[in-house]
Amino acid sequence: MERRDFLTTAGIGAAASVLAAPAIAQSAPQIKWRCTSSFPKSLDTIFATSEAVAKRVAEMTDNKFQIQMFAANEIVPGLAAADAVSNKTVEMAHTATYYYVGKDPAFAIPCCIPFGLNARQQNAWLYEGGGGELANEFFKKYNFIGFPCGNTGAQMGGWFRKEIKSVADLQNLKFRIAGIAGQISAKLGVVPQQTAGGEIYPALEKGTIDGAEWVGPYDDEKLGFSKIAPYYYYPAWWEGGPTLHMLVNLESWAELPASYKAAIQAATAEGNQMMLAKYDRLNPQALKRLVAAGTRLLPFPDDVMEASFKAAEEVYADLSAKNADFKKMYEALKEFRGEEVLWFQFAEGFFDRFMFQLQRRKAI
Amino acid sequence: MERRDFLTTAGIGAAASVLAAPAIAQSAPQIKWRCTSSFPKSLDTIFATSEAVAKRVAEMTDNKFQIQMFAANEIVPGLAAADAVSNKTVEMAHTATYYYVGKDPAFAIPCCIPFGLNARQQNAWLYEGGGGELANEFFKKYNFIGFPCGNTGAQMGGWFRKEIKSVADLQNLKFRIAGIAGQISAKLGVVPQQTAGGEIYPALEKGTIDGAEWVGPYDDEKLGFSKIAPYYYYPAWWEGGPTLHMLVNLESWAELPASYKAAIQAATAEGNQMMLAKYDRLNPQALKRLVAAGTRLLPFPDDVMEASFKAAEEVYADLSAKNADFKKMYEALKEFRGEEVLWFQFAEGFFDRFMFQLQRRKAI
């Protein structure tokens, strides 16, 4: 059917089909893929990015390569997206690889780790600094290849019912936080909670949990946390610049003609940049609305930041000792981070800081 | 010839060509474009980005849409790139639109203006915040459309033979700086110099000029300024995140099939992100080499930053009063900047600042 569809589209008469089919079918076959997202449509910035990638691929291939997007739970649950690509239930998934730290903690690194890189530095590492190659070497074990596709920028540290004045206030605090960040928080006395997006609000309202991190102002505002947990902390030291990925099953990837592979590479790179631009546009407006409505915006206290960093270092030492894949990627990321953080404090950091000063005294 | 080439490539026999040609030729014609760069090949990070865009477009179209890159002066001089697109000498140009402030100061805004946006904020404005639409409305007067395609990040403030301790040290200082930044500097007593890249070193060496700004550590190191001007200042307050563009002649653009238009949009977006990632990888290494070799890295004094900002505001008021296009884009950018700078000082700025602190005390 596929070859026949293509031939009809291309307007080639039946007499030519035997001769024409093989070469054409090879260079521009009709292909339909399914892509499962780890995210609900309500995270519209994220879901719109995956839809834009699918649309762009279709446009570039004259609708011959079609990728149909499915929200979380339409085919498989959000956290089963990587498995669905591994076993070829779907050809593609839009996900955050740190969701899979239960399979292997190394999955966190291509997405982000606490006190890791910011969004721009993570791009530099993944695209130009060898990080993408290391990630794909690791992903190969799971039968997929990954393409960076979306970043939120540094996230907010979350919503709390009570003020956090020091590390002491974290003792026995039931905080919705997952993965490696949860492990690190536990070392500070936090009791990490695994709570699905839709269950956070009622849990916070009832006091089943004391606080919850989600994304940033734009997404957080929609869930209404400000009404029941007035203290909004920054930053999410665990998410300085999380990178989402499009994961593609390796056999499906191998079957693509070169032009379709190139289309996926360009469209995902475009999507990667687009999602960050969307958040950067939407977050300030949401933040202003939240603060106007009474949200108290506060930085985590210094001792919380310092103790979290110390705990993170302990967790990384422990993970590196036990897991060669984690160690290899972590060491590479750490070396890259040293260079980036050194450089960013000069031209980049000074420029930003000066603009912040102007803004605070209302000169801009 | 073009149609015939395509048919041969596609492996369609002569008997089918009459029937097959129209539909195929329309959807995937053989097209060859020339793209002139404003940059020499020696600016390898920038030139490689334009070559990567051309390569990606070719890959995505099975080599049917070929864009041949030409360095500055191969077809027209670097600063004639926009004219060459306007009058269709070439179909496309890779350039920095602020080179054309002599034609119209509004050309600066889609690239960058002093005390404007950083790279990420400029992306957010151009792609999602309406800036791209405003830019293209303006570019239309010159018969081209533009696509963001490359960013250096915040640049360095340049190399000086003597230390700059205050605004007083700027009096009669012959500093290589162009465009609106030159106008602003002149208000502080600087005598702005227009010096082509290859002439900066001898002019600095002879003392014909006292200082020069170029790009950042990676590009600056290659020109060897450190040997003759040991003081290296940051930041270029005039280039917080300059965006290069691919300009495309409007008639050439209109002739493209939708799939090729999409290919250019995706490939330039990919290039935009790639160039920044390349600089972010290369700059730290070059900076370390420069400092190890004796370069003195210094921030511009506070009074220089403040006086420059004040002078910039005067220049913008003046330009806005005289030029409706400038005013329209500047007002939009200013409003956007207010929101971005507000937001970036919370999660993003705090995360970066904490990492800087860790780096300075060698904890990372």
Side-chain angles (χ1 to χ4, degrees):
Chain A
M1 269 307 282
E2 286 175 1
R3 199 181 65 187
R4 198 183 185 90
D5 283 351
F6 168 71
L7 292 171
T8 308
T9 308
I12 296 172
S17 68
V18 176
L19 203 64
I24 295 181
Q26 195 174 7
S27 72
Q30 191 84 32
I31 289 180
K32 283 191 183 177
W33 276 11
R34 300 192 305 170
C35 179
T36 189
S37 175
S38 285
F39 310 98
K41 288 183 183 170
S42 56
L43 284 168
D44 55 353
T45 304
I46 301 180
F47 201 77
T49 299
S50 60
E51 287 184 314
V53 169
K55 182 167 177 276
R56 184 66 92 200
V57 168
E59 282 172 354
M60 294 194 289
T61 60
D62 275 325
N63 290 313
K64 294 195 191 86
F65 184 12
Q66 291 179 21
I67 299 166
Q68 191 179 357
M69 282 305 310
F70 292 89
N73 294 317
E74 287 185 349
I75 302 177
V76 295
L79 301 183
D83 277 345
V85 175
S86 281
N87 62 29
K88 222 177 163 180
T89 301
V90 294
E91 290 84 2
M92 198 168 182
H94 192 220
T95 191
T97 60
Y98 65 8
Y99 289 155
Y100 312 106
V101 290
K103 289 184 197 298
D104 190 322
F107 267 115
I109 300 178
C111 178
C112 79
I113 57 169
F115 302 102
L117 304 172
N118 70 21
R120 228 175 95 174
Q121 295 162 352
Q122 183 80 356
N123 279 346
W125 187 58
L126 292 173
Y127 286 114
E128 296 287 332
E133 288 78 1
L134 286 175
N136 281 324
E137 194 183 303
F138 170 70
F139 291 158
K140 209 171 177 180
K141 292 187 174 184
Y142 293 86
N143 202 31
F144 49 71
I145 182 172
F147 302 94
C149 192
N151 201 304
T152 57
Q155 296 195 3
M156 291 292 287
W159 301 84
F160 295 83
R161 288 160 58 99
K162 291 185 186 159
E163 200 173 339
I164 308 293
K165 291 181 183 160
S166 76
V167 172
D169 292 327
L170 300 178
Q171 297 311 305
N172 300 313
L173 191 89
K174 282 170 286 176
F175 183 45
R176 187 260 181 196
I177 188 169
I180 291 177
Q183 269 179 269
I184 294 167
S185 301
K187 285 186 174 262
L188 274 68
V190 166
V191 187
Q193 307 290 310
Q194 305 262 4
T195 320
E199 291 160 25
I200 300 174
Y201 188 93
L204 256 183
E205 192 175 31
K206 278 184 229 154
T208 314
I209 59 175
D210 304 305
E213 67 92 38
W214 186 234
V215 184
Y218 178 69
D219 292 321
D220 293 7
E221 184 190 29
K222 287 185 282 184
L223 296 192
F225 303 136
S226 60
K227 293 172 208 158
I228 43 172
Y231 299 98
Y232 194 23
Y233 279 88
Y234 60 88
W237 43 258
W238 52 95
E239 285 173 301
T243 297
L244 304 184
H245 279 78
M246 280 291 190
L247 303 180
V248 177
N249 176 278
L250 276 177
E251 289 157 38
S252 306
W253 180 248
E255 285 162 13
L256 290 183
S259 59
Y260 291 11
K261 285 181 179 168
I264 284 189
Q265 286 173 286
T268 53
E270 184 183 23
N272 191 52
Q273 181 172 255
M274 174 197 290
M275 190 175 118
L276 188 59
K278 282 185 191 296
Y279 272 114
D280 284 344
R281 178 174 71 84
L282 295 166
N283 275 327
Q285 298 164 6
L287 185 71
K288 286 203 285 190
R289 287 190 297 268
L290 287 167
V291 170
T295 288
R296 291 204 46 198
L297 193 60
L298 292 164
F300 278 126
D302 285 347
D303 75 331
V304 169
M305 293 297 292
E306 293 290 347
S308 302
F309 174 68
K310 189 168 164 284
E313 294 282 276
E314 290 166 10
V315 168
Y316 296 147
D318 193 38
L319 290 172
S320 296
K322 289 180 197 156
N323 183 314
D325 286 324
F326 185 92
K327 186 171 193 287
K328 188 176 179 182
M329 272 196 274
Y330 176 65
E331 293 293 331
L333 180 110
K334 211 164 73 164
E335 193 186 334
F336 197 80
R337 180 183 64 182
E339 300 208 328
E340 295 303 294
V341 175
L342 171 71
W343 161 236
F344 269 67
Q345 53 201 299
F346 298 107
E348 203 69 45
F350 193 100
F351 181 84
D352 283 347
R353 203 158 56 243
F354 186 75
M355 300 307 289
F356 294 163
Q357 285 167 16
L358 292 178
Q359 199 274 335
R360 283 199 291 268
R361 65 172 206 246
K362 301 188 195 305
I364 59 169
Chain B
M1 270 306 283
E2 286 176 357
R3 199 182 68 186
R4 197 183 183 92
D5 284 351
F6 169 71
L7 292 171
T8 308
T9 309
I12 296 170
S17 68
V18 176
L19 203 65
I24 293 180
Q26 194 177 10
S27 73
Q30 191 83 30
I31 290 182
K32 284 191 182 178
W33 275 12
R34 299 192 307 168
C35 178
T36 190
S37 176
S38 284
F39 310 98
K41 288 185 184 168
S42 56
L43 284 169
D44 54 354
T45 303
I46 300 180
F47 201 77
T49 298
S50 60
E51 288 184 314
V53 169
K55 182 169 177 276
R56 184 65 91 201
V57 168
E59 283 172 354
M60 293 193 291
T61 61
D62 275 325
N63 290 313
K64 293 193 193 89
F65 184 11
Q66 290 179 22
I67 299 166
Q68 191 178 356
M69 281 305 309
F70 293 89
N73 295 316
E74 286 185 348
I75 303 177
V76 294
L79 301 184
D83 276 346
V85 174
S86 281
N87 62 28
K88 220 176 165 181
T89 302
V90 294
E91 290 84 2
M92 197 168 180
H94 192 220
T95 191
T97 60
Y98 65 8
Y99 289 156
Y100 313 106
V101 290
K103 288 183 197 298
D104 190 322
F107 267 117
I109 301 177
C111 178
C112 77
I113 57 168
F115 302 101
L117 304 172
N118 71 20
R120 230 175 93 173
Q121 294 161 354
Q122 184 79 356
N123 280 345
W125 188 58
L126 291 172
Y127 287 113
E128 297 286 333
E133 289 76 3
L134 286 175
N136 282 324
E137 194 182 303
F138 171 71
F139 291 158
K140 209 171 178 180
K141 292 187 175 185
Y142 293 86
N143 203 29
F144 49 71
I145 182 173
F147 302 94
C149 191
N151 201 306
T152 58
Q155 296 196 4
M156 291 292 286
W159 302 83
F160 295 83
R161 286 160 59 97
K162 290 184 185 161
E163 201 171 338
I164 308 293
K165 290 180 184 160
S166 76
V167 173
D169 293 327
L170 300 179
Q171 297 311 304
N172 299 312
L173 192 89
K174 285 170 285 182
F175 182 45
R176 187 261 181 197
I177 187 168
I180 292 177
Q183 269 180 266
I184 294 167
S185 301
K187 286 186 173 261
L188 276 67
V190 166
V191 187
Q193 307 289 309
Q194 304 262 6
T195 320
E199 291 159 25
I200 300 174
Y201 187 93
L204 256 183
E205 191 175 32
K206 278 184 229 155
T208 314
I209 59 174
D210 303 306
E213 67 93 36
W214 187 235
V215 184
Y218 178 69
D219 292 322
D220 293 6
E221 184 190 30
K222 286 185 282 183
L223 296 192
F225 303 136
S226 61
K227 292 172 206 158
I228 44 173
Y231 300 97
Y232 195 23
Y233 280 88
Y234 61 87
W237 42 258
W238 52 94
E239 287 172 302
T243 296
L244 305 184
H245 279 79
M246 279 292 191
L247 303 180
V248 177
N249 176 279
L250 276 177
E251 289 158 37
S252 306
W253 179 249
E255 285 162 15
L256 289 183
S259 59
Y260 292 10
K261 285 181 178 168
I264 284 189
Q265 287 173 285
T268 53
E270 184 183 24
N272 191 52
Q273 181 172 255
M274 175 197 290
M275 192 175 117
L276 187 58
K278 283 185 191 296
Y279 272 113
D280 284 344
R281 178 174 70 85
L282 294 166
N283 276 327
Q285 298 163 8
L287 185 72
K288 286 203 284 190
R289 286 191 298 268
L290 288 166
V291 170
T295 289
R296 291 201 48 197
L297 193 61
L298 292 164
F300 278 127
D302 284 347
D303 74 332
V304 169
M305 293 296 292
E306 293 290 347
S308 302
F309 174 68
K310 189 170 164 285
E313 294 281 277
E314 290 166 12
V315 169
Y316 296 147
D318 195 38
L319 290 172
S320 296
K322 290 179 197 159
N323 183 315
D325 286 325
F326 185 92
K327 185 171 193 283
K328 188 175 180 182
M329 271 195 275
Y330 176 64
E331 293 294 330
L333 180 108
K334 212 165 70 164
E335 192 187 334
F336 198 80
R337 180 183 64 182
E339 301 209 327
E340 295 303 294
V341 175
L342 170 72
W343 161 234
F344 269 68
Q345 52 202 301
F346 298 107
E348 203 69 45
F350 193 100
F351 181 84
D352 283 348
R353 203 158 57 242
F354 186 75
M355 299 308 288
F356 294 163
Q357 286 168 15
L358 293 177
Q359 199 274 336
R360 282 200 292 270
R361 66 171 207 247
K362 299 187 195 307
I364 60 168

